[in-house]
Structures are given as C-alpha cells and as structure tokens.
Amino acid sequence: MSRHFHITSFVAIFVVAIAGLFLLNLTLTLTWAQDTHVHDGQAHTHSGQTGPGHNQGNTVTLTDKAKVNIGLKTDEADIRAIETVVSVHGNIIAHPKRQAIVTPRTGGIVKRIHFSVGETVKKGDLLLELESLDLQMAQIELIEAASQQKSLVSKLARLTEVFAKQIRRELQTRQIDYLQSLSELQQLKMTVEKRKAIAVTEITSALEQMRFRLIKADVERQLLETTLTRIKTLTEKRISAQKELIAKHAEYKKAKNELVNTKRQFQILGISEQTLEKILSDNGETSVLSLLDTNRQDSRDEVTSSLLERYAVLSVGAIALIDAEVAYELAVIKVAANRQRALAAGLTETLLNTLAETGSITSFDDLSTDTLIENYLAFVESSEALEGVLQLEESLRNANITLNKVRQKLQVSGLTLDDIDQIIQTGQPTAIFRVPAPASGQITQQQVAVGTTVEKSDILFSILDTDTVWVQGEVHEDKLARLQNKWQIGSEVRIRVAAYPETIYTGKISGISDVVEPEELTVHFWAEIENRDHQLKPGMFADQAIVLDKGSDVLSVPLNAVIEDGGSRFVFVEDGAAYTRHEIAVGVNDDQYIEVKDGVLPGERVVVQGTHQLMSVLAAPSQVVDAPHGHPH
C-alpha cells in the first residue's frame, strides 16, 4: 500500500511539472508570436515599428522584448589577424602538482574527524585528531634531550664566565708585569745616572788633587833647585858649609822624585807628557778636565763615558756604577721579555705604548664574554678552565645533535616547529596528534572513520585543488607535420567544453610528450589552465586549438555568426531593430573568426546568437517560432 502510494505521488508530481513546463513554453511562444511577424516579405512588430527596406524576404524586425526572448547577441565585423591553429581533442585532468594525499605519519587511533568528502579545506586546516603512544614517547624523549641541552648550556655559560675572568686577569697581569718592569727600568736608569754623577765627581776631585800635588811637587822642585844652585855658589865661595849643600841636594832629589812619582800617576792613567806640561804651565784657573785630552766638542754623555772609561780607578763609586749598569741592562731585558709576553697574550703594540705613556691598565670589562674569548682564546695558554670549556662544548655539541635528531623525528611525524617549541617550553607531552591539510582544495576521498587504528603510511584523505587544471591533448601523427617546430612550451592553447559552449579558456602548453602512444598513434601534450570559478571539471571532454602563428589583418566576423545554406554562406546584419540576411564570400578562418571578403562592411554588427530563430522566421514566416528553442510550431 505504501509503495503504491509513493508511485502515485511521483506520477502526480511528474504530471504537474510537465503541465508547468507546457504553460511556460506556451507563454514564451505567445510572446514571440505577438512580437514577431513577416508581412509582404518583411517582418513587422505590433508596436508599429517597421524596419528599413531590404531585399524582400531577407529582413526580420524585432522588438526589444523579442530580442530578449530569443537571447539575441551581436558582434562587430572588424579588422583582425586570423591565426593559424591546429584543432585537437583532449580531456580535463587534475593538475599533478595540485593533488595531495593525507597520511598521519605516525600510528594511532582516530579520535575526531573535522572534514568529510566533498568539503573544501585550506592548507593547514585541522582534518582529524588521533591518539598516538609513539608520539607521546617521542615527546618525552624530546623533553629529556632539551633539558640535558639546557643544563649543558647553563654549565658552559658559568664556566665560560670563569674562563673569561681568567683571561681578563691574565691580560691585566701581563700589563702589570710590563708596567712594573718599565718602572724598575726607569728607577735603575736614574740610579745609573746618579752613580755616574758621583763617579765623575770623584774622578774630577781625584784629578784635581793629583794636579795640586803635581804643581806642588814641581814648585817645590823648582824652589829647591834654585836654593841648591845658590848654596852651591856659596859653598864654592866657602860662604856656606859643605854639609848644608849635601842636605839641600838630598831635599832636591827627594822633591824631584816626588815630581816624577806624581807624573807617573798621570802617565798610568794615559795622560801624555804634553798634557802634563799644559797642566804645569796653567795658572790653576782652568778645570783639569779641560786640560786633559777630552774633546771639547763631545757631548756631555760622551765626556762622561770617556772619563768613566779612562779614570774609573780614581773613583770608589765606579764599582757601584758598574753594578747599577748591570742591573739596568737586566731590567731592559726584563722589559723586552714582559712586552713579548704581553704581545703573546694578545695585547697590541698600540695598547702597550699607551700603557707606557699613561700607566693606565685596561680591564677589558667592556668586552662581552663571547667577544673576549673569541679575540683572545688563541693566545691563552692551556688551563684547567679552558679544558673544562672545551669538554663542555663537546658535550653540548653532542647534546645538540641528539636534540636535533629528536626534533627532526617529530617533524617527520608531522609536528610543526611551533608545536615542538611549545612542548619544550611547557615540558608537557600530549598523546593527541593533529593532522593538518597539506594543501588547499576539495576532499575527494576519505578512507578513515572515528575509532580506526591507522599506521603512519595509511592514506586518510585525498585532496584536489582545481584552481588550476591540466588539459591533456592528443595530436595524431598526421598533424605533427603542421606542428613541427611551431608548437613549444609556452604556446597558447584555447579550450572549449560542451558544458559552456560560449566560454573560451586560454592556457599555455606546459609539456609535450616525446613518445607516440602505440595504440592510438597520438602524441600527448598538456596545457595549464586557470580555473578559479571551478567550471572545468577533471574528466570533461575538451576541444583545443593550438595557436601556431598570426596571419595578416583582414576583415572578419565571429565564426558562429556564419550560416551555411545550400552551399552559400550568410550572416544577419543588424540595422536598428531590423536584421537582414547578407550572403558573404569568406576566406581563411581560425577557431574564433572567419575572413569576410564580400557582403559585410567594417563596423557592421552581425548576429552571433539567435541566428537559427531568425532563419526559422524567414523560412516559415506564417508560423510562430518558439524563441527559446528555435522551432516552428
């Protein structure tokens, strides 16, 4: 009973639908009949509008309402370049780069599904959630590796800071040592100068005493010599006794020996007889140093060095001077050694020169730890802190390698870098794994349900993005000769499909096969087409026109404006509300336009849609035409 009721209801609905279509068709037919008639070979409208005179039986006049009813459209006859095209067949197929399959990349149990077949998703949308024990264990491993790496980083930072302090201390110590050695050198230099001055004073004093003794001995010798001569005369005259002569002679001899001994002391010092004569002939006002062989043009230091070298035996302080000079030489060596040690520690010549001038020690506190170690590590001698830093750096490198391996493992499993960073920051693993859409598009297949256990390689969804599609064309061998060296990657292709006959889709060839299909003897090629409105569906049959080159400009009309009738070709030319049949002579054509050699003038508008309805009126003017279908009744 129920089944009979359903069948009866369906029949009733069908009858009502047919009746409605009949009434609609009748209404349109009456409208077309009311607005269009042909009288005396010409069509007239009931509104009283009459078209201009044309050849009898070739003109139809329409009202605006009639034009709308038949969907009449026109286009302009214009000067255009007729292209050389090759027409082939093909199929709309999915773009290979716009297809995606979704796999979980980790095993688990499906807990929730967010999208199903037919729904459109964007890249990154959450498709489903699953519970994964393997993923949870991998996250725990990540947290442990991150904790170990963080601990080593902290230890290394602390030890590095200690090492940096050692470097600063070492650099400061090198500066202090160098500065102290410079100070010692300066003090010893002053000591040497003082010792020299004392020695020169002692030598000068000794020489003056020797000159005094020399002059005194010479004066005494001269006086005794005069006295002895006088006594000799008196003795010869028997005025003086012989005994007095002998006594004076002895005194004279003693004075003469004293003079000889005094001169010998000068001669031992290398002073010449001529210099002694100068000393004896001087009145005592000239300095003894000026009377010696010292060159008066020599500098003070040269004079001092000469005195110390020749007359050092006269100075008690000469020995102390020698000790001071030896200490000074050792201090010079120490300064040079400390300077080399400072340079070896990484200090620059400029810094050391500034240190010597100002005495200000650089602390290097303005340098960061990393910069300090980077700049001076190569100069640091082996130390316990350095060994510790090197060992920790090696441990940290290994920890980083381990952490990166775990991170990569989780990335392969499908976690994003943000997910991984969040797990490290919180230290909380999660068993829920979220599977995002790898691409935008429509879900065309779903192979999973809630509660399903899946493996990491299982296919869960298939996603297809048809914003861009491919048209796969087939070129038969007999057309290859025309295409040879004229079609290539990037050549233009125009596409038409039966579902949208008025729409032309334009694309570019993206690939040409090098192989002839053995069964169909065709060569495949692929054209890429933008399909933002998704009118083109994979699986559709398509007609393709491969554009090879452009011809010269000629007068042309759209190809669908031309009608063939009994071997002749004609178009309907618009003139206001009237449409007149014009026979035309045609030439070459492509897939869109055909050359018109005669019958139409440039700028005239020709009918491109509704031509069959106009033909029906001309063929049977006494009959009413159903505008939407173009059939007489």
Side-chain angles (χ1 to χ4, degrees):
M1 181 66 181
S2 176
R3 182 179 180 185
H4 177 73
F5 174 77
H6 287 304
I7 293 174
T8 303
S9 299
F10 176 76
V11 171
I13 293 171
F14 179 74
V15 170
V16 171
I18 293 298
L21 291 174
F22 176 78
L23 291 174
L24 176 63
N25 185 47
L26 179 61
T27 302
L28 292 173
T29 302
L30 290 174
T31 302
W32 169 253
Q34 292 171 357
D35 293 335
T36 308
H37 289 280
V38 178
H39 299 283
D40 298 330
Q42 293 187 357
H44 300 275
T45 65
H46 284 204
S47 62
Q49 295 177 350
T50 303
H54 294 286
N55 290 336
Q56 190 173 6
N58 289 337
T59 300
V60 177
T61 302
L62 302 177
T63 65
D64 291 340
K65 186 175 182 180
K67 296 176 186 179
V68 173
N69 287 340
I70 66 174
L72 187 137
K73 293 182 180 179
T74 62
D75 201 347
E76 188 177 21
D78 200 358
I79 305 299
R80 302 180 181 89
I82 302 298
E83 298 171 327
T84 303
V85 299
V86 173
S87 298
V88 298
H89 301 302
N91 295 282
I92 308 297
I93 63 174
H95 197 298
K97 295 182 179 179
R98 299 293 181 121
Q99 303 178 70
I101 59 172
V102 181
T103 60
R105 293 192 285 182
T106 186
I109 301 173
V110 177
K111 291 296 181 180
R112 188 176 179 185
I113 297 176
H114 294 270
F115 290 91
S116 300
V117 172
E119 292 186 288
T120 300
V121 297
K122 294 181 180 179
K123 183 177 180 180
D125 283 348
L126 179 60
L127 297 179
L128 60 81
E129 300 174 43
L130 57 86
E131 186 177 48
S132 173
L133 181 60
D134 291 341
L135 180 66
Q136 190 174 16
M137 296 302 296
Q139 293 177 65
I140 294 173
E141 186 180 352
L142 171 70
I143 293 170
E144 291 176 349
S147 177
Q148 176 68 15
Q149 188 258 5
K150 184 178 180 181
S151 176
L152 288 173
V153 168
S154 178
K155 289 180 181 179
L156 181 60
R158 291 196 299 270
L159 189 57
T160 301
E161 193 62 39
V162 172
F163 184 45
K165 289 181 180 179
Q166 288 188 353
I167 293 177
R168 288 189 177 93
R169 186 164 53 249
E170 181 68 18
L171 294 174
Q172 292 172 8
T173 300
R174 293 286 180 266
Q175 294 178 77
I176 291 171
D177 290 345
Y178 179 61
L179 192 59
Q180 286 180 344
S181 62
L182 285 175
S183 178
E184 293 174 2
L185 181 65
Q186 187 64 27
Q187 291 176 359
L188 286 171
K189 183 178 182 182
M190 294 173 61
T191 301
V192 168
E193 294 299 327
K194 290 179 180 179
R195 298 290 184 188
K196 281 184 179 180
I198 292 172
V200 169
T201 301
E202 291 178 345
I203 291 172
T204 303
S205 176
L207 290 174
E208 289 291 350
Q209 292 177 7
M210 290 174 62
R211 180 175 70 163
F212 175 76
R213 289 196 301 271
L214 176 64
I215 294 174
K216 179 181 178 182
D218 185 61
V219 169
E220 289 180 351
R221 179 191 64 79
Q222 291 180 9
L223 289 174
L224 289 172
E225 184 178 9
T226 302
T227 302
L228 181 60
T229 302
R230 182 175 59 80
I231 292 174
K232 278 184 179 181
T233 303
L234 294 174
T235 302
E236 290 174 355
K237 294 180 179 182
R238 298 186 181 278
I239 297 173
S240 296
Q242 187 66 29
K243 182 178 178 181
E244 184 180 2
L245 178 62
I246 295 172
K248 290 297 180 185
H249 192 275
E251 289 179 6
Y252 172 75
K253 185 176 181 181
K254 182 179 178 181
K256 187 176 180 180
N257 289 337
E258 179 64 21
L259 178 61
V260 171
N261 290 334
T262 302
K263 284 185 176 182
R264 186 177 293 114
Q265 289 179 356
F266 280 98
Q267 291 170 351
I268 291 173
L269 296 175
I271 299 173
S272 64
E273 189 67 31
Q274 290 81 0
T275 301
L276 292 177
E277 293 298 328
K278 286 168 56 178
I279 293 173
L280 292 174
S281 61
D282 184 67
N283 57 9
E285 295 179 357
T286 306
S287 170
V288 68
L289 297 180
S290 300
L291 298 173
L292 298 177
D293 295 337
T294 304
N295 189 346
R296 292 185 180 181
Q297 296 180 352
D298 290 343
S299 65
R300 180 179 177 182
D301 289 341
E302 290 174 338
V303 172
T304 300
S305 298
S306 177
L307 287 174
L308 292 173
E309 181 180 353
R310 298 173 60 181
Y311 311 122
V313 295
L314 300 177
S315 172
V316 177
I319 297 176
L321 174 61
I322 293 173
D323 292 339
E325 288 179 335
V326 170
Y328 178 79
E329 294 297 330
L330 292 175
V332 170
I333 295 173
K334 185 177 180 180
V335 168
N338 285 333
R339 187 179 183 86
Q340 289 301 318
R341 290 182 65 194
L343 292 173
L347 299 176
T348 63
E349 292 277 1
T350 302
L351 188 147
L352 293 179
N353 292 337
T354 302
L355 176 65
E357 293 174 2
T358 64
S360 178
I361 296 175
T362 303
S363 64
F364 295 96
D365 290 335
D366 57 326
L367 294 182
S368 66
T369 298
D370 292 339
T371 303
L372 186 71
I373 293 177
E374 181 181 353
N375 291 348
Y376 295 100
L377 179 61
F379 305 102
V380 177
E381 298 177 358
S382 178
S383 67
E384 184 176 348
L386 175 58
E387 292 299 324
V389 168
L390 295 177
Q391 290 176 5
L392 272 179
E393 285 181 342
E394 179 64 25
S395 299
L396 183 57
R397 279 193 291 270
N398 293 332
N400 285 332
I401 291 172
T402 301
L403 179 60
N404 288 333
K405 284 182 179 178
V406 179
R407 290 174 69 95
Q408 290 171 5
K409 179 180 177 181
L410 289 173
Q411 282 184 266
V412 171
S413 297
L415 292 186
T416 65
L417 292 176
D418 290 339
D419 293 336
I420 294 171
D421 291 339
Q422 182 68 19
I423 293 169
I424 293 175
Q425 290 175 7
T426 62
Q428 296 296 324
T430 175
I432 299 301
F433 176 64
R434 295 170 176 81
V435 179
S440 299
Q442 186 182 54
I443 297 177
T444 57
Q445 292 183 11
Q446 177 180 336
Q447 302 179 22
V448 65
V450 174
T452 305
T453 299
V454 297
E455 300 296 332
K456 61 182 179 180
S457 59
D458 290 346
I459 296 177
L460 307 181
F461 297 96
S462 295
I463 298 175
L464 177 62
D465 179 7
T466 57
D467 284 354
T468 302
V469 295
W470 265 10
V471 180
Q472 179 176 276
E474 297 180 351
V475 178
H476 287 272
E477 283 187 304
D478 58 352
K479 294 184 179 180
L480 288 177
R482 291 185 62 193
L483 293 171
Q484 190 69 26
N485 298 326
K486 292 185 178 180
W487 70 330
Q488 57 188 348
I489 304 299
S491 294
E492 182 179 344
V493 178
R494 287 191 285 269
I495 311 297
R496 293 176 177 84
V497 295
Y500 312 103
E502 302 301 324
T503 304
I504 298 176
Y505 304 91
T506 303
K508 302 288 185 181
I509 293 178
S510 58
I512 301 174
S513 176
D514 292 332
V515 179
V516 175
E517 293 293 332
E519 295 183 0
E520 300 178 359
L521 299 179
T522 58
V523 173
H524 286 170
F525 71 95
W526 300 271
E528 191 170 271
I529 310 295
E530 290 293 326
N531 187 36
R532 297 295 181 186
D533 55 6
H534 297 174
Q535 288 183 333
L536 300 177
K537 312 291 185 184
M540 280 183 171
F541 180 80
D543 289 322
Q544 301 177 80
I546 305 171
V547 180
L548 301 182
D549 53 43
K550 293 184 179 294
S552 49
D553 291 338
V554 296
L555 177 63
S556 64
V557 296
L559 197 60
N560 56 355
V562 180
I563 302 172
E564 292 190 25
D565 184 20
S568 64
R569 298 185 181 185
F570 62 90
V571 296
F572 281 98
V573 178
E574 181 182 56
D575 183 10
Y579 297 88
T580 304
R581 170 176 168 167
H582 287 206
E583 290 194 6
I584 59 174
V586 300
V588 296
N589 69 276
D590 54 24
D591 63 312
Q592 298 184 92
Y593 301 98
I594 184 169
E595 179 185 5
V596 179
K597 296 183 177 180
D598 188 26
V600 177
L601 298 177
E604 290 185 323
R605 299 193 69 81
V606 297
V607 177
V608 295
Q609 181 174 309
T611 53
H612 293 291
Q613 286 87 340
L614 297 178
M615 280 292 296
S616 297
V617 174
L618 291 178
S622 62
Q623 301 185 40
V624 177
V625 178
D626 182 358
H629 299 91
H631 301 295
H633 297 279

